[in-house]
Amino acid sequence: MIRKTVSNVTEALSGTKDNMTLMLGGFGLCGIPENAIAELVKQNIKDLTCISNNAGVDDFGLGLLLQKKQIKKMVSSYVGENDEFERQMLSGELDVELIPQGTLAERCRAAQGGFPAFYTPAGYGTEVAEGKETREFNGKMYVLEHAFKADFAFVKAWKGDEAGNLIFKGTARNFNPCMCGAAKITVAEVEELVPAGTLDPNQIHIPGIFVQRIFQGERYEKRIEQRTVRTR
Amino acid sequence: MLDKNGIAKRIAKELKDKYFVNLGIGIPTLVANYIPEGIEVEFQSENGVLGMGPFPYEGEEDADIINAGKQTITTMPGASFFDSATSFNMIRGQHVDLTILGAMEVSEDGDIANWKIPGKMVKGMGGAMDLVASAENIIVAMMHTNKAGKSKLLKKCSLPLTGVQCVKRVVTNLALLEITDKGFKLLERAPGVSLEDIKKATEGTLIIEGDIPEMILQ
């Protein structure tokens, strides 16, 4: 067994520097690496390029990094829930690259799997395809999209073991598995870290080979963005 | 004239047995409340769930189980969770049968714009560009005119496009229309809405052939 455990979030973030490109898992506030984000805020690492489906809300998730102007560029598919984000983008303070959600996921997975690029129909005929190579396959047009290059991937799983094997829960899975192994260093934070041999190998979602560091998050707020219920 | 729930009710009649359906944010989400009796459908949400159920009872919300609109949801028997890349394989690979989404503009060629107003509002396309580029059957749910009273059914879209020549049908508060080679073909009028009302609210080419029936909503 190759151990991937680090003792705390500070050790997990060792090597992160200004100007780096980071991948961060999560969809909305669901399945985000809360502890890694808090530590990035604490260490005040700046001029970051962040690849993440969303940008959090004003006072949680990546919104915390935006508040402190630590992000230079966001690469996302949807940013509708964050006023500070919209303000920084429209004023030109923040560079933003908006990417179709499936393309975002696939650009992560291409990096994980060693594909330099791939063709997708998403965005053909729109400004997303401007300046990009296009090609016809079987009578339909496709756009060439490239694998991401990132320094760190911060992902969040439900359970993990010392070997870095991960199990996700519910829709908190989202982009997290796609980002594992898609950056030079993948840091996984989990709600519950267990000894190797505890998790059933049949139930592992992401094998530990894609993870370089793993730690148990100190606490999880798991904030709900849109609490919707029905009456009994 | 239909309200949002009325639009959702009419669209629900387009659901067929064994359909996998992706519902966009807003009016499309309401379609799940009006599934016709006696058919099996499953709802896919692109954040990674197939077999979405209704909203949870109060006190049973789970922060780890949400839909693409970030709302807390439940799952139905037979449901599954998966990662984002797998989710878009379902969409791009045309395993999802029907996509229902909102729009700011639709053109008579079936182009759709729904993600950006330059200089004003940029929410991002989310999964919409992947959905419209791949889905075989796309129905748009929207109001016929915008808040300023201008038509949203146009000859050409004025806003940045989400996808080209992809929309098949549009259901608005006034009408059900089909996109054809020649323009918007009027299929049904909303209850109490006249042909004149629809003509006035439609900037794009409107095709009216024969008697246009009024919608029947169950």
Side-chain angles (χ1 to χ4, degrees), chain B residues 86-100:
Chain B
T86 304
S87 180
F88 282 92
N89 283 358
M90 294 177 189
I91 291 163
R92 217 184 291 104
Q94 299 189 333
H95 307 286
V96 174
D97 300 289
L98 173 63
T99 288
I100 303 166

Side-chain angles (χ1 to χ4, degrees), chain A residues 27 101-102 171, chain B residues 15 18-25 28-29 31-32 35 40-53 66-69 73-76 78-101 127-128 130-132 134-135:
Chain A
F27 187 100
Q101 197 175 125
T171 55
Chain B
L15 301 180
K18 314 290 184 205
Y19 261 18
F20 290 102
V21 183
N22 181 290
L23 301 176
I25 296 165
T29 307
V31 173
I35 307 166
E40 288 177 351
V41 295
E42 269 194 29
F43 294 108
Q44 196 254 19
S45 197
E46 64 268 23
N47 59 315
V49 53
L50 196 58
M52 240 193 311
I66 63 167
N67 64 17
I73 54 156
T74 59
T75 53
M76 302 296 284
S80 55
F81 297 115
F82 35 85
D83 66 74
S84 300
T86 304
S87 180
F88 282 92
N89 283 358
M90 294 177 189
I91 291 163
R92 217 184 291 104
Q94 299 189 333
H95 307 286
V96 174
D97 300 289
L98 173 63
T99 288
I100 303 166
L101 76 175
D130 308 270
L131 282 159
V132 301
S134 303

Side-chain angles (χ1 to χ4, degrees), chain A residues 54 77-79 98 100-103 109 121-122 127 140 169 171 174-175 222 226-230 232, chain B residues 55-58 61-64 66 70-72 83-84 88-89 92 116 122-126 130 133 161:
Chain A
N54 312 90
S77 86
Y78 190 83
V79 292
L98 289 167
Q101 197 175 125
T103 301
R109 199 165 64 160
E127 63 181 57
K140 184 168 172 164
K169 177 174 162 259
T171 55
N174 58 62
F175 284 83
K222 293 216 215 171
Q226 305 281 344
R227 186 179 301 273
T228 44
V229 294
R230 67 185 147 139
R232 280 173 206 273
Chain B
F55 296 136
Y57 290 119
E58 198 168 352
E61 314 91 283
D62 184 340
D64 290 328
I66 63 167
K70 285 101 179 175
Q71 296 171 308
T72 44
D83 66 74
S84 300
F88 282 92
N89 283 358
R92 217 184 291 104
K116 183 179 185 180
V122 187
K123 289 188 186 302
M125 64 293 278
D130 308 270
L161 295 179

Side-chain angles (χ1 to χ4, degrees), chain A residues 122-171:
Chain A
Y124 178 76
T126 76
E127 63 181 57
V128 164
E130 280 170 21
K132 290 176 184 163
E133 197 179 316
T134 57
R135 185 167 160 181
E136 187 185 319
F137 293 92
N138 306 317
K140 184 168 172 164
M141 292 305 294
Y142 295 80
V143 184
L144 186 70
E145 296 282 2
H146 290 79
F148 282 125
K149 285 194 175 75
D151 298 296
F152 277 86
F154 293 107
V155 304
K156 191 257 167 184
W158 180 38
K159 290 180 183 177
D161 68 12
E162 296 166 301
N165 296 308
L166 303 177
I167 295 177
F168 302 90
K169 177 174 162 259
T171 55

Side-chain angles (χ1 to χ4, degrees), chain A residues 86-106:
Chain A
E86 197 161 19
R87 191 197 65 71
Q88 287 186 24
M89 173 168 59
L90 292 173
S91 72
E93 290 164 64
L94 181 70
D95 190 9
V96 178
E97 186 181 349
L98 289 167
I99 294 179
Q101 197 175 125
T103 301
L104 185 72
E106 205 58 28

